[in-house]
Amino acid sequence: MAVNFVEVAHEQPDAPALVWRGQTVSYQELYLAARRAQARIACLPDDGTPLGLKAPKCPDSIALVLGCLLAQRRFLLPSATLAEQTMNELFTASGCATVLSEVDAQWTGQGAIHSFTPDPDRVTFMLTTSGSTGRPKVVPLTEGAVDRFTDWADAHFGVRGVVLNYSPLNFDLCLLDVWATLKHGGTVVLVDPERGTDGAHLGELLRNNEVEVVQAVPMFFGLLQDDEPYPHVRQVIMTGDTVPARTLARLPVLFPNARLHNLYGCTETNDSLVHELDPARLPAGPVPLGTPLPGVEIRVVAGELEVRTPFQTSGYLDPALNADRFTADGFYRTGDIVETGPGGELTLVGRNDFQVKVRGVRTNVQEVERVLLDHPEITEAAVVAVPDPIAGHLLHAELRREPSSKLNSLVLRQFCAQRLALTSIPSTIRITADPLPRTSTGKPDRQLLVRRNTKGKVTMDHTQEITKFVVEEFLPDVPAGDLAADYDLLAGGVIDSLGLLKVIAWLEDRFALAVDDIDLEPDLFRSVAAINTFINQVEQTAKNQTAAR
């Protein structure tokens, strides 16, 4: 990719490479900034450790990434919106001895510039998962994997024109709308994250820059405020989330000259399946996932989709996380539950990690979301399972209504009662006119919603005592200080089913907890922090019951 970018910069130096906040950056300007970043990196010790990048979306951050590629150094690119402590923990866990920021693309010092030698097996990008279900996992990608994908993206969609970039730089969507575009000489129009939910502004960007290719999560298309068409758009790519029927129905009106695509993939595998929709015959139900990309293999095991692609990582940076996701023959377990239609087409049913027990009944929260989105006055929906020490979990729904809607929770409960089992109707519902909180990758921020709505506040910190027990019982060779409070004990293989029984027995003995009648879920004991929360919730419930007497 780096070689192609340099060739483009030499062949068309005055061509626009980036558009940012109304200003255009030429290929020559971007190339010179990348060279400055490369010179800065050349002054650092090349000890084989990755570079950490604090890179908010802007031209200098893109130049910094290009500088890393030219310097042939692998780099960790986490979300710029992560909390400082989480980001630093990621850098430390990934072995990043040096952390750079976008200002390093403005460096004016001298540094040795070495010639570039392509190596398809060399790790370059180290992306992170969204972290929507825990701490982000680090996903290393090789130079060859990135090149194969970016070449496919151009061959399939044509990214040599004007391409909109909506996602943050750490998201794998950028491999298509930023890096494939720059590799093949196109122009990237960068959406400012600060205005990412301003529908009028998004429409102006499309219209004023005559954007030809739009790739974004479905939320983007739902934010566009008017029905004035964008005739210059020729490719619309929806990805990253399910597409609400209301949003899907608007697309042929908004983009009358565009081909419409549903693109499916994961950070670990990159894109795997693509489905082109017929604007005159839009599906009444879920949009099919589509057919495999060239070289992609798929299979369905016990309802779960498994994929193997030419673009995927060989495994997480932390190998302890691989066993749960990667098979011995190189397939990635996506966690997505799919159905096969009569014609062989796959449609997404939901996530296996969105299956929760509510009052003893297994419930799929995504199915609840789909029902809520069927209401004509609901534009966004997120349903989360909030831990409850007695019921196991209770459902909370966070909903965005149409601006003119007077919808209330009572009316919505009546709507749900006609379509859902009693245990699937959310116990609490919050309806707002504001956009729902989102992660850096545009998905609903479920962790934030759980934190906001968890009953019972943590009044005591038992973290140190819990850590001491876990280390002594399960990790005798690990210093207690090395076990992070949010480390996934289940996915990491530290605690198995027998281990859970040991933990529960210890909790009952040490804290005199009466847990016999509680519908226990493994997620309550997934980490030291989760166990700490569980203890306080049970203690708080006992206090409330005592006070009620």
Side-chain angles (χ1 to χ4, degrees), residues 17-40:
L18 305 172
V19 177
W20 170 248
R21 293 178 175 172
Q23 302 297 313
T24 299
V25 179
S26 71
Y27 267 91
Q28 182 178 43
E29 291 169 326
L30 184 59
Y31 169 75
L32 292 175
R35 283 299 192 190
R36 289 193 291 270
Q38 182 188 7
R40 170 72 182 95

Side-chain angles (χ1 to χ4, degrees), residues 342 369 379 438 537:
E369 288 178 1
T379 60
R438 299 269 171 172
Q537 286 177 332

Side-chain angles (χ1 to χ4, degrees), residues 495-506:
I495 295 178
D496 56 15
S497 56
L498 179 60
L500 281 176
L501 295 177
K502 292 181 179 179
V503 172
I504 293 168
W506 177 73

Side-chain angles (χ1 to χ4, degrees), residues 40-54 64 68 73-76 78 88 91-92 94-101 104:
R40 170 72 182 95
I41 294 166
C43 297
L44 302 173
D46 189 359
D47 54 5
T49 60
L51 300 172
L53 303 187
K54 291 185 177 180
L64 178 62
C68 291
R73 292 289 298 272
R74 58 191 171 122
F75 52 92
L76 176 61
N88 290 336
F91 287 142
T92 300
S94 303
C96 298
T98 303
V99 176
L100 303 175
S101 71
D104 288 289

Side-chain angles (χ1 to χ4, degrees), residues 219 380-382 398-400 430 432 434-438 444 449:
M219 180 184 75
E380 290 184 76
E398 198 92 2
L399 308 168
R400 183 187 184 190
R430 179 176 180 268
T432 176
D434 300 321
L436 300 190
R438 299 269 171 172
L449 295 179

Side-chain angles (χ1 to χ4, degrees), residues 74-93:
R74 58 191 171 122
F75 52 92
L76 176 61
L77 188 61
S79 168
T81 62
L82 285 178
E84 189 74 14
Q85 179 178 342
T86 302
M87 185 177 291
N88 290 336
E89 288 175 354
L90 267 177
F91 287 142
T92 300

